[in-house]
């Protein structure tokens, strides 16, 4: 029986979902054709039709990670500093879904750093994210909510801050619950605006 | 011929050095008994004498990472904000050796996040590093170089900032050469001190 294009697309989606599930639980270190096949209830032979090599599987996993991150729900935001804050909150592991997705991002770094081509693709992903932050920083500056200065530098700074906070929160969720993550981010934004952080008092 | 304690110690050091070399090139993802044995010019059989399981090998690798990090040369520093800045610069991949060491730290996260016990040990390592930063923040506050406020929060913030900058610099060394890393760190410290970053001008 000939299979339709619709069948093919549906099967591709199933395969992608299985790749995602494996990554969310085991990270990139545990991403193997065998693990994806087991998740899918299929043979590794079938999987090699989609991914002839481990490298092809990893490349698909990275694309999937970028797609899922781009498609994630965003919190509503106003403009200027509020929009910047919302974009940064969207990156933090404040929900179960965001924790899973961040777990996969963090786990991708080890794999990517061993492969110059994958490293370059990853560098491009973070550069695009930084560009989006830069535009938000510039908008906040135009509104007078952030002091003037190089928006590229401020964007690189907040991106670093949030990436590092993601790592800390994943490694030590007890010390970095969502409330603490938000408090730290607001402290960072207050420092950039050069005002006293919310809830802070002289001692 | 009976082997002396000295021989045994020397062999342990050789094994540790081989573990380190494998990690520096391949990350934790590439850390296997076979790779360490090949590096050492020994059999995997000999290696199982030191590391009966993969988990024992990983645990040793993590201890080694902590030891090597603790023993690394530190830049001389004054007190207060200068000491804080020096400690943060020591964490950044500004030299080849620091890049290698950071590469191993970043690569450890994927592995550690799949293992609750290793995660807890890692959380403890970062908490101790944060405590040391907190004391430096408090000293800078006492000198009036940083505004008053919760030193724990400021320490968690600068730690996040530096960790994220490490990740960015490893993934995209062209965009984050040492001069850029230092510029970003100085911008962050200036924001915390609520003054204009060095070299910044109104536009």
């Amino acid at each position: 029986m000939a299979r339709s294009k619709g069948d093919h697309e549906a099967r591709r989606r199933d395969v992608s979902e299985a790749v995602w599930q494996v990554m969310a639980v085991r990270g990139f270190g545990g991403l193997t054709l065998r693990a994806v096949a087991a998740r899918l209830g299929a043979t590794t032979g079938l999987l090699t039709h989609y991914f002839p090599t481990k490298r092809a599987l990893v490349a698909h996993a990275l694309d999937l990670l970028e797609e899922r991150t781009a498609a994630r729900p965003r919190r509503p935001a106003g403009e200027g500093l509020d929009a910047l804050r919302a974009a940064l909150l969207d990156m933090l592991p404040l929900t179960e879904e965001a924790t899973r997705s961040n777990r996969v991002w963090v786990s991708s770094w080890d794999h990517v750093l061993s492969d110059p081509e994958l490293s370059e693709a990853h560098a491009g992903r973070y550069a695009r994210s930084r560009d989006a932050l830069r535009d938000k920083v510039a908008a906040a500056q135009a509104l007078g909510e952030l002091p003037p200065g190089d928006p590229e530098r401020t964007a690189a700074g907040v991106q670093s801050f949030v990436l590092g906070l993601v790592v800390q929160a994943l490694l030590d969720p007890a010390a970095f619950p969502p409330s603490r993550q938000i408090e730290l981010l607001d402290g960072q934004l207050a420092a950039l605006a050069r005002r006293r952080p919310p809830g802070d008092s002289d001692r």
Side-chain angles (χ1 to χ4, degrees), chain A:
Chain A
M1 196 173 75
R3 284 194 298 170
S4 70
K5 192 159 174 246
D7 285 346
H8 185 70
E9 285 301 312
R11 173 45 70 113
R12 279 201 81 82
R13 271 198 304 278
D14 290 348
V15 169
S16 289
E17 184 58 33
V19 170
W20 184 255
Q21 294 296 335
V22 168
M23 286 198 296
V25 176
R26 306 195 193 182
F28 267 76
L31 180 63
T32 59
L33 285 175
R34 188 183 296 188
V36 175
R39 187 93 207 175
L40 199 61
T43 61
T44 52
L46 176 99
L47 262 290
T48 57
H49 173 70
Y50 293 91
F51 312 114
T53 60
K54 171 76 193 266
R55 214 158 172 286
L57 173 61
V58 168
H60 178 72
L62 290 171
D63 286 342
L64 203 57
L65 182 53
E66 190 173 22
E67 266 169 40
R68 295 236 169 178
T69 301
R72 74 189 186 278
R74 309 296 172 105
R75 68 198 70 223
E79 52 175 1
L81 197 54
D82 189 53
L84 177 65
R85 179 176 185 267
L88 296 170
L89 287 172
D90 281 340
M91 293 177 189
L92 291 173
L94 300 175
T95 65
E96 262 190 53
E97 177 57 32
T99 302
R100 251 195 308 275
S101 169
N102 271 302
R103 163 84 179 80
V104 179
W105 276 106
V106 170
S107 100
S108 74
W109 298 335
D110 182 27
H111 200 93
V112 156
L113 285 172
S114 301
D115 185 317
E117 205 174 306
L118 294 179
S119 276
E120 202 180 315
H122 239 34
R125 291 183 180 101
Y126 285 103
R128 286 192 289 280
S129 170
R130 212 152 52 234
D131 288 347
L133 292 173
R134 177 203 56 209
D135 294 347
K136 290 186 168 63
V137 168
Q141 289 175 332
L143 289 170
E145 295 174 325
L146 288 178
D150 180 2
E152 295 264 8
R153 180 157 74 179
T154 303
V158 292
Q159 188 183 40
S160 290
F161 183 88
V162 164
L163 278 181
L165 187 50
V166 164
V167 172
Q168 298 290 49
L170 292 181
L171 285 171
D172 197 348
F176 294 90
S179 58
R180 179 67 167 169
Q181 295 178 49
I182 295 170
E183 184 190 22
L184 289 169
L185 176 62
D186 283 336
Q188 173 70 9
L189 293 175
L192 292 177
R194 287 177 217 154
R195 45 182 176 70
R196 180 172 295 180
D200 208 14
S201 59
D202 285 61
R203 307 203 295 181

